[in-house]
Protein backbone atom coordinates (compact mmCIF):
# COMPACT_ATOMS: atom_id res chain seq x y z
CA UNK A 1 0.00 0.00 0.00
CA UNK A 2 2.82 2.41 0.91
CA UNK A 3 4.55 1.74 -2.42
CA UNK A 4 1.34 2.45 -4.30
CA UNK A 5 0.88 5.78 -2.52
CA UNK A 6 4.45 7.02 -2.83
CA UNK A 7 5.70 5.64 -6.16
CA UNK A 8 7.67 8.29 -8.06
CA UNK A 9 6.24 8.35 -11.57
CA UNK A 10 6.12 11.19 -14.11
CA UNK A 11 2.53 10.23 -14.96
CA UNK A 12 -0.23 8.54 -12.94
CA UNK A 13 -2.78 6.85 -15.23
CA UNK A 14 -5.19 6.31 -12.33
CA UNK A 15 -5.46 10.06 -11.65
CA UNK A 16 -4.55 11.16 -15.21
CA UNK A 17 -2.07 13.61 -13.71
CA UNK A 18 1.59 14.32 -14.57
CA UNK A 19 4.16 15.27 -11.93
CA UNK A 20 7.44 17.15 -12.21
CA UNK A 21 9.54 16.72 -9.07
CA UNK A 22 12.11 19.24 -7.94
CA UNK A 23 15.16 18.79 -5.76
CA UNK A 24 14.50 18.58 -2.07
CA UNK A 25 15.64 21.21 0.46
CA UNK A 26 19.29 21.88 1.15
CA UNK A 27 21.65 19.84 -0.98
CA UNK A 28 21.49 17.47 -3.90
CA UNK A 29 21.47 14.63 -1.39
CA UNK A 30 17.83 15.45 -0.61
CA UNK A 31 16.65 15.23 -4.23
CA UNK A 32 14.37 12.28 -3.57
CA UNK A 33 10.83 11.88 -2.37
CA UNK A 34 10.59 12.92 1.28
CA UNK A 35 9.72 15.86 3.49
CA UNK A 36 10.48 19.08 1.64
CA UNK A 37 10.20 17.60 -1.86
CA UNK A 38 8.43 20.06 -4.15
CA UNK A 39 6.47 19.19 -7.27
CA UNK A 40 4.24 20.63 -9.99
CA UNK A 41 1.22 18.67 -11.20
CA UNK A 42 -0.81 19.06 -14.37
CA UNK A 43 -3.78 17.21 -15.82
CA UNK A 44 -2.99 14.67 -18.54
CA UNK A 45 0.33 13.57 -20.00
CA UNK A 46 3.19 16.03 -20.41
CA UNK A 47 5.35 13.62 -22.46
CA UNK A 48 8.53 15.50 -21.59
CA UNK A 49 7.03 18.95 -22.06
CA UNK A 50 7.23 21.48 -19.20
CA UNK A 51 4.04 21.95 -17.15
CA UNK A 52 1.76 24.75 -18.37
CA UNK A 53 1.93 28.18 -16.80
CA UNK A 54 -0.24 28.33 -13.71
CA UNK A 55 0.00 24.57 -13.01
CA UNK A 56 -0.63 23.64 -9.39
CA UNK A 57 2.50 23.41 -7.24
CA UNK A 58 2.86 21.48 -4.03
CA UNK A 59 5.20 20.21 -1.34
CA UNK A 60 5.59 17.09 0.77
CA UNK A 61 5.17 18.51 4.28
CA UNK A 62 5.18 15.25 6.24
CA UNK A 63 6.88 11.91 5.60
CA UNK A 64 7.20 8.92 7.92
CA UNK A 65 8.08 5.84 5.87
CA UNK A 66 5.45 3.10 5.94
CA UNK A 67 3.21 5.24 8.20
CA UNK A 68 2.07 8.58 6.83
CA UNK A 69 2.59 11.20 4.14
CA UNK A 70 1.27 14.75 3.99
CA UNK A 71 1.19 17.06 0.97
CA UNK A 72 0.16 20.67 0.47
CA UNK A 73 -1.19 22.03 -2.82
CA UNK A 74 -0.80 25.77 -3.28
CA UNK A 75 -3.33 27.66 -5.38
CA UNK A 76 -3.77 31.41 -5.87
CA UNK A 77 -6.64 31.78 -3.39
CA UNK A 78 -6.48 28.61 -1.32
CA UNK A 79 -4.28 25.80 -0.02
CA UNK A 80 -5.27 22.15 0.20
CA UNK A 81 -3.45 19.82 2.57
CA UNK A 82 -3.86 16.04 2.38
CA UNK A 83 -2.65 13.61 5.04
CA UNK A 84 -2.71 9.84 4.47
CA UNK A 85 -2.10 7.55 7.43
CA UNK A 86 -1.57 3.78 7.25
CA UNK A 87 -2.05 1.28 10.06
CA UNK A 88 -2.10 -2.51 10.21
CA UNK A 89 -5.60 -3.95 10.40
CA UNK A 90 -6.45 -7.63 10.13
CA UNK A 91 -3.76 -9.92 8.66
CA UNK A 92 -3.12 -8.89 5.06
CA UNK A 93 -5.17 -5.69 5.42
CA UNK A 94 -4.26 -2.02 5.87
CA UNK A 95 -6.38 0.67 7.52
CA UNK A 96 -6.16 3.91 5.49
CA UNK A 97 -7.16 7.30 6.87
CA UNK A 98 -7.30 10.30 4.54
CA UNK A 99 -7.66 13.81 5.98
CA UNK A 100 -8.13 16.81 3.69
CA UNK A 101 -7.84 20.37 4.99
CA UNK A 102 -8.92 23.47 3.06
CA UNK A 103 -7.32 26.81 3.91
CA UNK A 104 -8.72 29.85 2.01
CA UNK A 105 -6.22 32.63 1.39
CA UNK A 106 -7.56 36.17 1.66
CA UNK A 107 -11.12 37.11 0.77
CA UNK A 108 -14.03 38.28 2.84
CA UNK A 109 -14.45 36.55 6.23
CA UNK A 110 -18.25 36.46 5.95
CA UNK A 111 -18.04 34.92 2.51
CA UNK A 112 -15.73 32.22 3.82
CA UNK A 113 -18.22 31.36 6.57
CA UNK A 114 -21.11 31.16 4.09
CA UNK A 115 -19.10 28.91 1.79
CA UNK A 116 -17.93 26.59 4.58
CA UNK A 117 -20.75 24.04 4.19
CA UNK A 118 -20.16 23.81 0.44
CA UNK A 119 -16.45 23.33 1.10
CA UNK A 120 -17.17 20.58 3.60
CA UNK A 121 -19.15 18.70 0.98
CA UNK A 122 -16.35 19.20 -1.54
CA UNK A 123 -13.74 17.90 0.92
CA UNK A 124 -15.87 14.83 1.65
CA UNK A 125 -16.22 14.10 -2.06
CA UNK A 126 -12.44 14.50 -2.46
CA UNK A 127 -11.72 12.05 0.36
CA UNK A 128 -14.23 9.53 -1.00
CA UNK A 129 -12.72 9.84 -4.47
CA UNK A 130 -9.14 9.31 -3.24
CA UNK A 131 -10.12 6.27 -1.19
CA UNK A 132 -11.96 4.81 -4.18
CA UNK A 133 -8.77 5.11 -6.27
CA UNK A 134 -6.56 3.18 -3.83
CA UNK A 135 -7.35 -0.29 -5.22
CA UNK A 136 -6.43 0.93 -8.71
CA UNK A 137 -3.16 2.42 -7.43
CA UNK A 138 -2.26 -0.88 -5.77
CA UNK A 139 -3.19 -2.82 -8.91
CA UNK A 140 -1.16 -0.45 -11.08
CA UNK A 141 1.90 -0.87 -8.84
CA UNK A 142 1.62 -4.66 -9.17
CA UNK A 143 1.35 -4.34 -12.97
CA UNK A 144 4.43 -2.12 -13.16
CA UNK A 145 6.49 -4.56 -11.15
CA UNK A 146 5.39 -7.43 -13.38
CA UNK A 147 6.34 -5.36 -16.43
CA UNK A 148 9.78 -4.66 -15.02
CA UNK A 149 10.45 -8.23 -13.86
CA UNK A 150 8.63 -10.64 -16.19
CA UNK A 151 8.23 -14.24 -15.09
CA UNK A 152 7.98 -16.92 -17.75
CA UNK A 153 5.39 -19.62 -17.31
CA UNK A 154 6.82 -22.98 -16.37
CA UNK A 155 9.99 -21.52 -14.83
CA UNK A 156 10.52 -22.46 -11.21
CA UNK A 157 10.87 -19.48 -8.87
CA UNK A 158 14.12 -19.62 -6.90
CA UNK A 159 14.13 -17.89 -3.53
CA UNK A 160 16.50 -14.93 -3.70
CA UNK A 161 19.27 -14.62 -1.13
CA UNK A 162 18.91 -11.58 1.14
CA UNK A 163 20.86 -8.38 0.59
CA UNK A 164 24.33 -8.35 2.07
CA UNK A 165 27.65 -6.52 2.33
CA UNK A 166 30.67 -8.52 1.23
CA UNK A 167 34.37 -7.71 1.21
CA UNK A 168 36.43 -7.98 -1.97
CA UNK A 169 40.08 -7.28 -2.70
CA UNK A 170 39.47 -3.61 -3.53
CA UNK A 171 36.94 -2.89 -0.81
CA UNK A 172 33.37 -3.63 0.20
CA UNK A 173 30.45 -4.34 -2.15
CA UNK A 174 26.79 -3.94 -1.18
CA UNK A 175 24.64 -6.61 -2.85
CA UNK A 176 20.97 -5.59 -3.13
CA UNK A 177 18.76 -8.57 -3.90
CA UNK A 178 15.05 -9.21 -4.19
CA UNK A 179 12.66 -6.65 -2.67
CA UNK A 180 14.46 -4.03 -0.59
CA UNK A 181 11.67 -2.19 1.20
CA UNK A 182 12.06 0.44 3.93
CA UNK A 183 12.42 -2.15 6.69
CA UNK A 184 15.06 -4.02 4.66
CA UNK A 185 17.00 -0.74 4.24
CA UNK A 186 17.00 -0.40 8.03
CA UNK A 187 17.96 -4.04 8.64
CA UNK A 188 20.88 -3.71 6.24
CA UNK A 189 22.00 -0.55 8.07
CA UNK A 190 22.65 0.91 4.64
CA UNK A 191 23.43 4.43 5.80
CA UNK A 192 25.96 3.36 8.43
CA UNK A 193 27.69 0.86 6.14
CA UNK A 194 28.04 3.35 3.29
CA UNK A 195 29.47 5.93 5.68
CA UNK A 196 31.84 3.69 7.65
CA UNK A 197 33.03 1.12 5.10
CA UNK A 198 35.15 1.63 2.01
CA UNK A 199 32.31 0.67 -0.33
CA UNK A 200 33.54 0.43 -3.92
CA UNK A 201 30.33 -0.72 -5.63
CA UNK A 202 26.62 -1.45 -5.30
CA UNK A 203 25.55 -4.67 -7.03
CA UNK A 204 21.90 -4.55 -8.19
CA UNK A 205 21.74 -7.53 -10.56
CA UNK A 206 19.44 -9.43 -8.16
CA UNK A 207 17.28 -6.43 -7.25
CA UNK A 208 13.57 -6.43 -8.15
CA UNK A 209 12.32 -3.53 -5.97
CA UNK A 210 13.92 -0.81 -3.85
CA UNK A 211 12.19 1.68 -1.57
CA UNK A 212 12.75 5.41 -2.10
CA UNK A 213 14.23 5.70 1.41
CA UNK A 214 17.43 4.02 0.14
CA UNK A 215 18.26 6.72 -2.41
CA UNK A 216 19.42 9.53 -0.07
CA UNK A 217 22.05 7.12 1.31
CA UNK A 218 23.17 6.05 -2.17
CA UNK A 219 23.33 9.63 -3.37
CA UNK A 220 25.39 10.82 -0.41
CA UNK A 221 27.75 7.87 -0.97
CA UNK A 222 28.14 8.93 -4.61
CA UNK A 223 28.92 12.51 -3.61
CA UNK A 224 31.51 11.44 -1.02
CA UNK A 225 33.15 9.13 -3.56
CA UNK A 226 33.26 11.95 -6.11
CA UNK A 227 34.85 14.37 -3.63
CA UNK A 228 37.52 11.74 -2.94
CA UNK A 229 38.35 11.65 -6.66
CA UNK A 230 36.49 8.45 -7.52
CA UNK A 231 33.20 7.48 -9.11
CA UNK A 232 30.42 5.50 -7.44
CA UNK A 233 29.95 2.19 -9.28
CA UNK A 234 26.69 0.34 -9.89
CA UNK A 235 27.15 -3.27 -11.01
CA UNK A 236 24.69 -5.29 -13.02
CA UNK A 237 21.30 -4.49 -14.49
CA UNK A 238 18.03 -3.86 -12.67
CA UNK A 239 15.26 -2.27 -14.74
CA UNK A 240 13.38 -1.10 -11.63
CA UNK A 241 16.51 0.50 -10.11
CA UNK A 242 17.34 2.20 -13.41
CA UNK A 243 13.77 3.46 -13.71
CA UNK A 244 13.95 5.03 -10.24
CA UNK A 245 17.31 6.66 -11.01
CA UNK A 246 15.86 8.14 -14.20
CA UNK A 247 12.75 9.52 -12.48
CA UNK A 248 14.89 11.17 -9.80
CA UNK A 249 17.48 12.51 -12.26
CA UNK A 250 20.35 10.64 -10.56
CA UNK A 251 21.57 8.43 -13.43
CA UNK A 252 24.67 10.53 -14.18
CA UNK A 253 25.95 10.29 -10.60
CA UNK A 254 26.96 6.63 -11.01
CA UNK A 255 29.30 4.65 -13.26
CA UNK A 256 27.84 1.38 -14.57
CA UNK A 257 29.69 -1.92 -14.76
CA UNK A 258 28.35 -5.23 -16.05
Amino acid sequence: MWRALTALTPYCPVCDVSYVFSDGPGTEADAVMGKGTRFVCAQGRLDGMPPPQGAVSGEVVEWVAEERIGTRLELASENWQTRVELADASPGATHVTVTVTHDPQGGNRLRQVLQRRAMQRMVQRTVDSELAKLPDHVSRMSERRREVVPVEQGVAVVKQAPSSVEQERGGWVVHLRGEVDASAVNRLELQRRLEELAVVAIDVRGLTYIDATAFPHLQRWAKRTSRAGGRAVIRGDSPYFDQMLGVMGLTSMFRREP
Side-chain angles (χ1 to χ4, degrees), residues 77-167:
S77 60
E78 57 191 359
N79 290 338
W80 290 84
Q81 188 157 318
T82 302
R83 191 171 193 259
V84 180
E85 300 175 82
L86 304 181
D88 292 333
S90 57
T94 302
H95 186 271
V96 181
T97 303
V98 180
T99 305
V100 178
T101 304
H102 173 255
D103 180 24
Q105 303 295 303
N108 183 281
R109 177 73 176 176
L110 177 60
R111 183 178 180 183
Q112 292 178 9
V113 171
L114 294 175
Q115 291 180 335
R116 184 172 300 165
R117 187 173 296 275
M119 282 298 176
Q120 288 175 341
R121 290 195 295 268
M122 181 183 296
V123 167
Q124 185 62 58
R125 287 196 298 270
T126 301
V127 171
D128 292 342
S129 174
E130 292 304 310
L131 287 173
K133 292 176 183 176
L134 280 178
D136 289 335
H137 281 292
V138 173
S139 176
R140 177 60 183 166
M141 174 59 64
S142 299
E143 290 174 2
R144 287 181 61 226
R145 290 171 66 186
R146 285 198 299 269
E147 291 168 1
V148 171
V149 188
V151 178
E152 296 181 9
Q153 292 186 353
V155 177
V157 177
V158 179
K159 187 174 181 180
Q160 185 72 55
S163 299
S164 63
V165 181
E166 301 173 9
Q167 190 171 21

Side-chain angles (χ1 to χ4, degrees), residues 39-42 54-58 73-75:
F39 58 88
V40 176
C41 52
V56 177
S57 62
L73 295 180
E74 302 161 353
L75 288 77

Side-chain angles (χ1 to χ4, degrees), residues 41-62:
C41 52
Q43 198 71 28
R45 284 184 177 274
L46 292 178
D47 291 327
M49 299 294 291
Q53 188 174 7
V56 177
S57 62
E59 181 180 1
V60 178
V61 295
E62 188 174 8

Side-chain angles (χ1 to χ4, degrees), residues 171-235:
W172 293 85
V173 176
V174 177
H175 294 267
L176 299 177
R177 305 184 182 97
E179 296 191 5
V180 180
D181 57 16
S183 61
V185 172
N186 292 332
R187 287 196 303 272
L188 189 61
E189 296 183 291
L190 186 61
Q191 178 179 357
R192 182 182 67 82
R193 292 177 185 274
L194 289 175
E195 290 177 351
E196 297 180 359
L197 299 178
V199 175
V200 296
I202 305 289
D203 192 313
V204 299
R205 70 192 70 198
L207 184 69
T208 57
Y209 169 82
I210 184 167
D211 190 82
T213 56
F215 284 89
H217 312 317
L218 299 179
Q219 192 173 15
R220 282 189 281 270
W221 165 65
K223 289 171 67 67
R224 287 193 300 270
T225 303
S226 177
R227 286 195 294 267
R231 188 81 182 276
V233 174
I234 302 296
R235 292 182 183 172

